[in-house]
Amino acid sequence: QVRLVESGGGSVQAGGSLRLSCAASGLTYSRYCMGWFRQFPGKDREGVATTDINGHTSYTDSVKGRFTISQDNAKNNLYLQMNNMQPEDTGAYYCAARSWFCLPALRPSDYGYWGQGTQVTVSS
């Protein structure tokens, strides 16, 4: 059974940094894709960044140059380093996983495994 547990959310001022972590267990596929998604109040969940087991990454335009996704394959941990954060980054952040390849579009519907989410708040 796949289990994803996020941590590292919190509050930060604009321009500050946070690092999210996702502890994954039960991912027995030889290939899989993991990603971070976020959801703003009243909005649909959207993709932030994804990475595959070979370290190929993809980002949504609004976070390029500010956020970095990485993973520790040995420990099955996923990370999201968020720098120069802005109030519009405020939302609930979710770790997700899918078997096989990452897809070019960061679509939440392509991911079958989800964590419970962690709240990120950026104040101006």
Side-chain angles (χ1 to χ4, degrees):
Q1 181 179 352
V2 176
R3 186 164 183 253
L4 305 174
V5 180
E6 303 98 334
S7 61
S11 298
V12 65
Q13 289 192 325
S17 299
L18 281 175
R19 188 189 196 213
L20 303 183
S21 298
C22 174
S25 59
L27 283 169
T28 59
Y29 309 108
S30 59
R31 305 186 74 98
Y32 56 84
C33 175
M34 295 189 73
W36 289 98
F37 294 77
R38 63 186 179 185
Q39 190 164 16
F40 305 129
K43 302 290 186 180
D44 292 335
R45 198 168 295 186
E46 65 175 37
V48 177
T50 60
T51 182
D52 66 15
I53 197 168
N54 294 314
H56 299 121
T57 59
S58 182
Y59 296 90
T60 192
D61 286 346
S62 63
V63 307
K64 287 180 180 177
R66 300 190 299 123
F67 291 11
T68 303
I69 189 171
S70 61
Q71 61 181 338
D72 178 346
N73 287 337
K75 297 183 179 180
N76 268 355
N77 288 339
L78 183 72
Y79 305 101
L80 185 68
Q81 178 66 43
M82 304 184 290
N83 297 329
N84 189 22
M85 298 186 72
Q86 301 301 316
E88 53 266 33
D89 295 318
T90 295
Y93 282 69
Y94 297 87
C95 173
R98 68 185 301 272
S99 59
W100 214 232
F101 298 103
C102 288
L103 298 174
L106 279 65
R107 272 193 308 259
S109 59
D110 292 328
Y111 291 76
Y113 305 106
W114 291 89
Q116 82 287 351
T118 186
Q119 180 66 32
V120 170
T121 303
V122 185
S123 58
S124 57

